[in-house]
Amino acid sequence: MHSCGIIGATGYAGAELARLLLTHPDVEALHLASSSQAGERMDSVYPNLAGRALGQTKLVDQSAAIESSDIVFASLPHGLSEGIAAACTRAGKLLIDIGADFRFGADEATYTAWYGKKYAHPELHAAAVYGLPELNREKIRALGAARRGSGDGGSPAGTARIIGNPGCYPTCAELGLFPALRLGIALRHGIIIDAASGVTGAGREPTKTTHYPEIADSLVPYKIGEHRHTPEIEAALATMAGEPVGIVFTPHLAPMGRGIVSTIYFSIADGALGGAAGRAERAAALREAYASFYKDEPFVRVRPEGQVATNKDVRFSNFCDISLHMAHDGMTAVVVSALDNMVKGAAGQAVQNMNIALGLDERRGLETLPPAF
């Protein structure tokens, strides 16, 4: 049994983590931290938790959450997790960072260019693992195995055990492109990713952009050509392809609470798909390639012919649904990838990473199916 701390528990992703970990069979205690609402009860912030012991828990400060936990989740804006990582490393705790600080590994130059901040602890970033399980499962498992080898469920003091949880847009795009790049189906340049996200992706603090009259009945492209998730997506795709990959990524804010739907376009490489001729045959070959690639993945569902991946079918779950289509020219693939940005795009993926690092079945605590409506 494990004790988990959530720093930033009153944000949307932190609250979703609390909801998931509350019913996790291997978690016996939760320690919830909030710098702005320390001392308040959790159910005063989120009344949906009323009636459970967790709801009556008083929010503590960061130090208390770290001290009382063997696994710490940081759910904070970028630039705020390095100090937490240093404290967890000194204490031999596993840190899963849901923010952006540990997604770029040792590549400080890219992080600084896009986030405007240098690394305070470069050695911690070099030790961190990018937590996309479908790509780095063995690295995540190895990080946890060293931790478990200490015998007491902790890590030797001073040993960095850090997982950088991927962003929500990147997870959706990367899973939508992984088979095409790894199997040599897609050309490495000119890939287009159009993605629409629910408003929870913008965080809990309201802004003019997320104000109801501004977003209702509207689909709003934003940060065109300059969204901070672009370099994260490019880095992961380059790892998948074994060479640089060029993308055009355009995010959109959609009038819905949660979810992401990405529509991805790429040109098919010459000789790919086994030489299948004809649009229908090529579409079938593409679908079969994806289905075979993901057949053992517990949280990636490749939809059958005639179905389209949608936000509705993954809500409140850790699934990423993918559907495969072919443009009229028979040479341009259209991939639709959908996930819940608060679950597989944030809190659920963090729990999945925790499960892998602890040597548990990665489905533990994440087997809730999406509601039908």
Side-chain angles (χ1 to χ4, degrees):
M1 300 296 289
H2 298 276
S3 178
C4 296
I6 303 174
I7 297 175
T10 56
Y12 283 145
E16 193 76 345
L17 257 174
R19 181 180 71 85
L20 294 172
L21 292 174
L22 177 64
T23 57
H24 194 292
D26 299 286
V27 174
E28 63 180 352
L30 282 179
H31 305 282
L32 309 180
S34 170
S35 58
S36 61
Q37 294 169 294
E40 295 187 34
R41 279 177 35 157
M42 188 65 173
D43 59 6
S44 71
V45 184
Y46 288 99
N48 64 304
L49 298 176
R52 299 295 300 266
L54 173 65
Q56 301 168 22
T57 300
K58 286 191 175 182
L59 294 157
V60 298
D61 61 26
Q62 294 182 6
S63 297
I66 294 171
E67 182 179 353
S68 302
S69 307
D70 58 301
I71 300 137
V72 177
F73 297 86
S75 183
L76 300 168
H78 74 272
L80 299 178
S81 295
E82 277 191 299
I84 295 166
C88 288
T89 297
R90 289 192 297 269
K93 309 295 177 76
L94 171 66
L95 172 68
I96 301 174
D97 182 29
I98 298 179
D101 289 359
F102 290 94
R103 294 174 184 166
F104 294 91
D107 187 0
E108 181 178 5
T110 297
Y111 179 79
T112 301
W114 287 83
Y115 288 87
K117 187 178 186 294
K118 291 185 176 295
Y119 289 167
H121 300 279
E123 73 285 356
L124 298 182
H125 295 270
V129 174
Y130 185 64
L132 185 69
E134 295 77 10
L135 175 65
N136 283 333
R137 182 175 282 107
E138 293 310 313
K139 290 183 179 180
I140 298 164
R141 186 175 287 131
L143 179 149
R147 179 180 179 277
R148 296 193 303 277
S150 66
D152 61 358
S155 302
T159 301
R161 301 282 183 255
I162 302 166
I163 298 171
N165 217 56
C168 50
Y169 278 128
T171 297
C172 199
E174 290 157 17
L175 293 178
L177 284 162
F178 193 2
L181 293 171
R182 182 55 59 88
L183 300 175
I185 297 171
L187 294 183
R188 275 33 174 180
H189 57 82
I191 296 173
I192 297 172
I193 304 165
D194 281 336
S197 171
V199 185
T200 49
R204 190 162 181 250
E205 290 300 316
T207 66
K208 179 182 177 183
T209 304
T210 59
H211 186 42
Y212 179 80
E214 299 290 336
I215 190 57
D217 305 314
S218 181
L219 183 68
V220 184
Y222 67 101
K223 294 186 179 178
I224 299 170
E226 58 183 19
H227 195 280
R228 286 170 168 167
H229 280 157
T230 302
E232 180 186 342
I233 296 171
E234 288 183 330
L237 297 185
T239 299
M240 294 168 178
E243 60 182 283
V245 175
I247 67 169
V248 177
F249 168 59
T250 305
H252 301 69
L253 197 59
M256 58 188 187
R258 57 168 69 209
I260 289 179
V261 178
S262 297
T263 306
I264 304 166
Y265 311 86
F266 61 81
S267 297
I268 297 170
D270 291 340
L273 302 179
R279 177 173 174 270
E281 290 79 9
R282 294 169 72 79
L286 179 66
R287 189 176 301 105
E288 175 54 35
Y290 269 67
S292 178
F293 188 89
Y294 281 132
K295 62 182 175 62
D296 295 323
E297 286 296 339
F299 293 115
V300 181
R301 305 188 300 189
V302 177
R303 310 308 299 175
E305 182 181 3
Q307 293 188 10
V308 179
T310 69
N311 170 60
K312 179 180 75 69
D313 293 331
V314 294
R315 294 179 74 241
F316 301 103
S317 81
N318 202 50
F319 289 114
C320 175
D321 279 7
I322 297 173
S323 61
L324 290 308
H325 315 271
M326 193 68 61
H328 71 281
D329 63 3
M331 292 301 298
T332 305
V334 182
V335 180
V336 182
S337 180
L339 53 75
D340 187 317
N341 62 307
M342 287 289 102
V343 189
K344 182 58 172 169
Q349 185 145 260
V351 174
Q352 186 179 356
N353 279 319
M354 178 191 78
N355 288 339
I356 296 169
L358 295 178
L360 304 171
D361 185 325
E362 60 193 89
R363 296 168 293 187
R364 297 279 278 182
L366 295 170
E367 296 186 279
T368 300
L369 289 170
F373 50 87

